Amino acid sequence: MFTHDKFLYRRILLKISGEALQGINKFGIDINSLTRIAEEIKCIVNIGVQVSLVIGSGNLFRGKNLSKLGLNRVVSDHIGMLSTVINSLAMKDMINSISSINTCLMSSIPINGICETYNYERAINLLSNNYVLIFSAGIGNPFFTTDSAACLRAIETKSDIVLKGTNVDGVYSKDPKKYSDAILYKKLTYQDVLQKELKVMDLAAFILARDHHVPIIVFNIKKPGSLSRVIANNCEGTIIGN
C-alpha cells in the first residue's frame, strides 16, 4: 500500500487491450479478469489518482481482422467501435459494483440511453471531481485505432501520462515470445522507438503522443498489483518520453 505523496502522476489515462479482459478464454469477457482490473483501478482512485480509461476490442471484434474476412473496412471498424462500447459497459458496471466510486461512460458516437456522448470540457470537469471516465468507440472514425483514441483523449484531458497495459512486461528489442534473447528496455526516448522501429503502439498514435510531449509507460496489466506499482514509480514496465 502507498500514500498520496508517493506517486508521480495525478491524472492518468489507462489504455488496456480487449484481450486483457478475456483471461484464458479465446473470446469474450472473463469475469475474474474484469474484476481484478476494476479492483486495481479502485485502489489507485482511492489514494487520489484521477483515472480515465480506453479499452480495446480484441476480445470481441477487431475491425482490421474483420475486413480481412471480406467485410468493408469502414463497416468492420464500426463493428470494432461498438465492441469497445460493450467492453466499456462491462467495466463501468464492475467498478460500480465493487466500489462507491463515481463512473461515467462516454462514447465518441451518440448512443442515447446507454452512455453520454464525449465532450472534453465535461470530461475534464468529471475527472477533477474524481470520477473514473471510460472513453469508448475510439475517436468515432474508421481507420483509427484505440491507441489513437487513448493518446488523443490523454492530450484533451491534460493527463500526465498514458499507461498502456499489455500482456508483456514492457517494450522489448524483439518479440519475447519468439526470441529468448529479447532485451527488455526500461527507458526509451521517442526517437529511440522510431529509430529501432519498436512496436509500442500504432505509428499515428505514437507520433501524436510525441508531438504533445505525453510520456507513455508500457507494462504488464496481467500481473496483479502492476498498476499500483507503476503509479508508485516502482520500476515497472518501460517508460518512453523525452
Side-chain angles (χ1 to χ4, degrees), residues 48-73:
V49 179
Q50 297 172 359
V51 177
S52 58
L53 182 64
V54 170
I55 308 174
S57 64
N59 59 318
L60 299 173
F61 298 104
R62 192 189 299 273
K64 185 169 65 174
N65 292 346
L66 289 174
S67 68
K68 292 177 182 177
L69 299 176
L71 288 179
N72 177 281
R73 178 59 192 269

Side-chain angles (χ1 to χ4, degrees), residues 71 86 93:
L71 288 179
I86 293 171
D93 187 68

Side-chain angles (χ1 to χ4, degrees), residues 3-20:
T3 57
H4 69 278
D5 59 343
K6 292 183 179 179
F7 58 83
L8 290 178
Y9 313 109
R10 174 64 63 181
R11 178 178 294 172
I12 65 122
L13 188 142
L14 174 62
K15 164 62 170 60
I16 61 175
S17 64
E19 287 88 347

Side-chain angles (χ1 to χ4, degrees), residues 10-174:
R10 174 64 63 181
R11 178 178 294 172
I12 65 122
L13 188 142
L14 174 62
K15 164 62 170 60
I16 61 175
S17 64
E19 287 88 347
L21 303 186
Q22 71 185 28
I24 60 173
N25 303 318
K26 294 182 179 180
F27 183 86
I29 298 171
D30 173 64
I31 195 66
N32 293 320
S33 298
L34 186 71
T35 303
R36 182 184 59 78
I37 295 172
E39 289 279 6
E40 296 214 17
I41 292 169
K42 170 188 169 183
C43 225
I44 65 170
V45 171
N46 283 341
I47 51 89
V49 179
Q50 297 172 359
V51 177
S52 58
L53 182 64
V54 170
I55 308 174
S57 64
N59 59 318
L60 299 173
F61 298 104
R62 192 189 299 273
K64 185 169 65 174
N65 292 346
L66 289 174
S67 68
K68 292 177 182 177
L69 299 176
L71 288 179
N72 177 281
R73 178 59 192 269
V74 174
V75 173
S76 299
D77 281 358
H78 286 162
I79 293 171
M81 288 179 209
L82 292 174
S83 298
T84 70
V85 177
I86 293 171
N87 283 338
S88 298
L89 279 167
M91 181 61 74
K92 179 181 185 294
D93 187 68
M94 182 55 70
I95 294 172
N96 287 342
S97 69
I98 65 172
S99 71
S100 58
I101 294 168
N102 292 315
T103 60
C104 179
L105 172 58
M106 290 185 170
S107 168
S108 297
I109 52 178
I111 311 178
N112 295 333
I114 292 180
C115 57
E116 293 190 24
T117 303
Y118 174 72
N119 177 284
Y120 90 94
E121 289 181 334
R122 176 157 168 75
I124 291 174
N125 181 59
L126 290 174
L127 282 171
S128 299
N129 284 283
N130 300 314
Y131 276 69
V132 171
L133 282 192
I134 306 175
F135 301 125
S136 65
I139 65 170
N141 292 301
F143 303 104
F144 289 91
T145 66
T146 48
D147 282 344
S148 291
C151 292
L152 179 61
R153 298 296 181 242
I155 293 163
E156 290 176 322
T157 57
K158 300 179 173 62
S159 296
D160 298 322
I161 196 162
V162 171
L163 305 181
K164 182 170 182 179
T166 68
N167 59 0
V168 292
D169 292 341
V171 179
Y172 285 83
S173 56
K174 46 190 172 182

Side-chain angles (χ1 to χ4, degrees), residues 148-208:
S148 291
C151 292
L152 179 61
R153 298 296 181 242
I155 293 163
E156 290 176 322
T157 57
K158 300 179 173 62
S159 296
D160 298 322
I161 196 162
V162 171
L163 305 181
K164 182 170 182 179
T166 68
N167 59 0
V168 292
D169 292 341
V171 179
Y172 285 83
S173 56
K174 46 190 172 182
D175 190 343
K177 295 180 179 179
K178 296 180 179 178
Y179 303 97
S180 59
D181 61 342
I183 299 169
L184 173 62
Y185 298 109
K186 299 305 292 182
K187 293 181 180 179
L188 292 165
T189 65
Y190 300 115
Q191 195 60 31
D192 288 336
V193 172
L194 295 174
Q195 286 180 345
K196 297 176 187 293
E197 297 183 351
L198 300 172
K199 294 182 179 179
V200 174
M201 54 177 57
D202 79 81
L203 188 57
F206 184 77
I207 295 299
L208 190 63

